[in-house]
Amino acid sequence: MANILDNLTSKLEGLDVTLQQKLFGKKAGSSAFEKMDKANYIKLANMNLQLKDRLKFFILPSVEAFSKGSYNPSKGLSPFSDIGNVFNIANASVGMLGNYVTTLYLQEITFPLGPVIEYEEFTKRPKALQKPDSITFTFLEDEKGTVLRYMQIWRKTIVYVGSNGGWTSALSNNSEYVFADNQEATERIGILLLNSANKKKFTFPRIMFYGLKFKDMGQLTVGYNQKDNLTYTVTCSIREVSLPII
Amino acid sequence: MITYVEGLATDAMSDQFGIVFPEGIPGGGSGELLRLRLNDGFDEPELTAAVYDVNFEGLKIPKTGSEETDKQFTMTFRMDGNWKVYEALKNWHGRVINTITGALQAEKDTRTTMILNAYGPPNKSIVYSKRFNGVKIKTFKVSTWNYENKAEPVKIEAGFIFINTDELTIAENYNV
């Protein structure tokens, strides 16, 4: 390829000056690549690049959250009782409140842009698909602990940890736990939009996260030498990252 | 050319300005006293956009990104003999952080609004006005005490932060 380009360049330079001008409409002596470079330079200068800080993230409860037959611990019922007609208020309402958290407190998101295709070593044929596993959020926190409360409520809709004091502890190591019956109802749908620089239109493809479920909140350090504000790093499990082509 | 220059309106003078705290200052101090005792002037912060470079075949294309303005400014005030200026600024700073208990007051109780007015003809009317929103005192320092300063008033240098600015007036009827 390089040899072909070199030959083309040398041939162009060897052309008659008048012919060069006729072909490329420019002064003699300048190559086709110079004109191409100049055109690309201008295109790059005028191109509106996507900025990373123009994000908007919405989080919605999954459709199953509005279905019946889900266990609601706030009713004080045993997880082993037959409560097929209980409306899962916790999942639906908390899921809707999630937007308040993500639009105001969310600072940063790190996520995989889709699955990883694994190839065979010698034949280079695809052999497996490594699906996206998790998404990481960084949240601010206010003095009311809004984000912490939201995440804890979300966690409690997924798993209920019993302790001597009742179904409230999340940190007891020596206690039994039970997962909610309707796990699909605890999922969220995440929508990531990247706004244009003038904040007037969303031209960047919408990125959807399906099967978003709370995983962990990492570690928190507080201390007398910590002068900055409190932030959380929340990890959520995801089932699918959808990147539409158009 | 000379006729053109003579026909120009008068220049805006850098000493024809004033600052006003229309909502007063947190802590109960007198904003009017601060206006009258402002010393040396007011240096407006520079509006800045973040710049990043895109490189292309040996050339650099700078592009602008998000806001990167250093949202702070400093003002120096002459101390009055009754130390009211000190009291006003100290009370404000004490709300921002109590140096004894470490308590911080709520944001809304520590921020105020400041307006910068520029005066011009006729009759020293306000030609230009800019409002600084969410002004909050950050630093506070009394000038150095010195026996050799025979005719030097005590000054207080205060640093402030703010959230954003509004252009309140534009000189529309001013011939340039």
Side-chain angles (χ1 to χ4, degrees):
Chain A
M1 181 64 182
N3 289 335
I4 296 171
L5 287 173
D6 285 342
N7 283 336
L8 180 61
T9 307
S10 61
K11 282 179 182 173
L12 286 172
E13 288 172 349
L15 281 175
D16 180 66
V17 168
T18 308
L19 183 57
Q20 268 196 12
Q21 285 177 331
K22 284 181 182 174
L23 280 174
F24 305 114
K26 61 191 184 311
K27 293 179 182 177
S30 55
S31 70
F33 289 109
E34 283 180 1
K35 188 181 179 186
M36 185 174 71
D37 287 347
K38 184 180 176 183
N40 286 338
Y41 182 83
I42 294 171
K43 282 179 189 171
L44 262 177
N46 291 330
M47 189 185 296
N48 289 332
L49 299 180
Q50 180 62 54
L51 297 174
K52 291 192 287 187
D53 61 353
R54 292 285 187 261
L55 70 122
K56 282 197 188 304
F57 189 83
F58 300 101
I59 191 166
L60 302 168
S62 61
V63 175
E64 287 79 9
F66 295 95
S67 66
K68 295 180 180 177
S70 301
Y71 173 60
N72 190 342
S74 64
K75 295 289 185 184
L77 298 174
S78 162
F80 304 105
S81 64
D82 181 13
I83 44 169
N85 293 322
V86 173
F87 176 67
N88 197 329
I89 300 173
N91 279 323
S93 58
V94 172
M96 296 304 293
L97 289 175
N99 276 322
Y100 175 71
V101 169
T102 58
T103 54
L104 194 59
Y105 296 84
L106 181 62
Q107 289 286 288
E108 197 174 270
I109 311 172
T110 304
F111 58 94
L113 276 170
V116 176
I117 306 172
E118 293 181 357
Y119 294 90
E120 292 178 351
E121 189 175 347
F122 294 105
T123 62
K124 295 304 175 186
R125 288 179 183 169
K127 64 175 181 180
L129 200 67
Q130 195 181 75
K131 291 194 174 180
D133 179 48
S134 60
I135 176 174
T136 305
F137 300 95
T138 302
F139 287 101
L140 298 173
E141 181 63 293
D142 61 8
E143 291 182 336
K144 295 176 185 174
T146 302
V147 177
L148 181 65
R149 289 174 198 272
Y150 175 79
M151 293 302 168
Q152 289 304 307
I153 292 173
W154 190 2
R155 181 193 56 76
K156 286 181 181 180
T157 61
I158 298 171
V159 59
Y160 312 104
V161 180
S163 69
N164 293 334
W167 297 92
T168 55
S169 171
L171 302 174
S172 175
N173 289 327
N174 187 21
S175 59
E176 56 186 12
Y177 57 90
V178 61
F179 295 109
D181 291 337
N182 191 347
Q183 283 293 317
E184 285 77 15
T186 67
E187 292 180 352
R188 305 276 188 269
I189 297 172
I191 305 172
L192 176 63
L193 298 172
L194 288 174
N195 210 339
S196 60
N198 62 4
K199 287 191 172 183
K200 288 185 179 176
K201 48 189 176 181
F202 296 93
T203 50
F204 196 83
R206 167 174 45 94
I207 301 175
M208 302 291 294
F209 302 95
Y210 295 105
L212 204 61
K213 291 188 75 166
F214 174 83
K215 192 174 179 182
D216 73 272
M217 285 189 76
Q219 284 190 324
L220 182 63
T221 303
V222 293
Y224 294 122
N225 60 345
Q226 303 287 323
K227 301 296 182 187
D228 52 356
N229 58 301
L230 198 151
T231 57
Y232 301 123
T233 302
V234 178
T235 306
C236 290
S237 169
I238 50 173
R239 191 178 62 243
E240 180 186 341
V241 179
S242 175
L243 302 171
I245 299 172
I246 57 174
Chain B
M1 182 63 184
I2 294 176
T3 308
Y4 173 74
V5 172
E6 286 176 345
L8 287 176
T10 54
D11 296 337
M13 305 306 291
S14 61
D15 63 341
Q16 298 296 307
F17 78 100
I19 61 162
V20 180
F21 293 94
E23 298 169 4
I25 62 171
S30 170
E32 182 66 11
L33 186 63
L34 294 182
R35 180 181 80 84
L36 295 171
R37 291 199 158 270
L38 179 63
N39 193 65
D40 293 340
F42 175 70
D43 190 12
E44 282 208 48
E46 182 183 65
L47 295 179
T48 313
V51 175
Y52 62 96
D53 296 326
V54 173
N55 294 302
F56 176 71
E57 295 199 11
L59 300 172
K60 186 174 76 171
I61 305 169
K63 285 183 177 285
T64 54
S66 302
E67 183 187 49
E68 217 173 57
T69 300
D70 188 17
K71 293 185 173 181
Q72 46 189 334
F73 56 86
T74 306
M75 291 193 290
T76 305
F77 304 92
R78 292 186 311 282
M79 184 92 84
D80 59 307
N82 296 320
W83 283 64
K84 292 295 182 187
V85 173
Y86 176 88
E87 189 179 318
L89 292 173
K90 191 70 173 69
N91 283 343
W92 188 358
H93 193 268
R95 283 192 161 211
V96 172
I97 175 158
N98 186 315
T99 53
I100 296 175
T101 65
L104 313 176
Q105 296 299 319
E107 285 281 344
K108 60 179 177 61
D109 295 330
T110 53
R111 293 188 185 261
T112 187
T113 303
M114 188 184 86
I115 295 178
L116 170 72
N117 292 321
Y119 306 117
N123 301 324
K124 205 176 177 179
S125 55
I126 296 175
V127 178
Y128 173 76
S129 193
K130 176 188 278 187
R131 180 174 60 204
F132 291 80
N133 297 309
V135 176
K136 186 178 190 179
I137 191 169
K138 187 186 72 162
T139 60
F140 171 74
K141 183 188 180 306
V142 179
S143 63
T144 306
W145 300 93
N146 194 330
Y147 288 122
E148 295 182 2
N149 292 341
K150 303 294 182 186
E152 187 77 19
V154 177
K155 293 176 188 165
I156 296 181
E157 186 177 289
F160 302 88
I161 58 172
F162 64 97
I163 296 174
N164 59 11
T165 58
D166 287 321
E167 306 287 328
L168 297 180
T169 60
I170 297 175
E172 294 172 336
N173 300 317
Y174 203 67
N175 290 325
V176 178

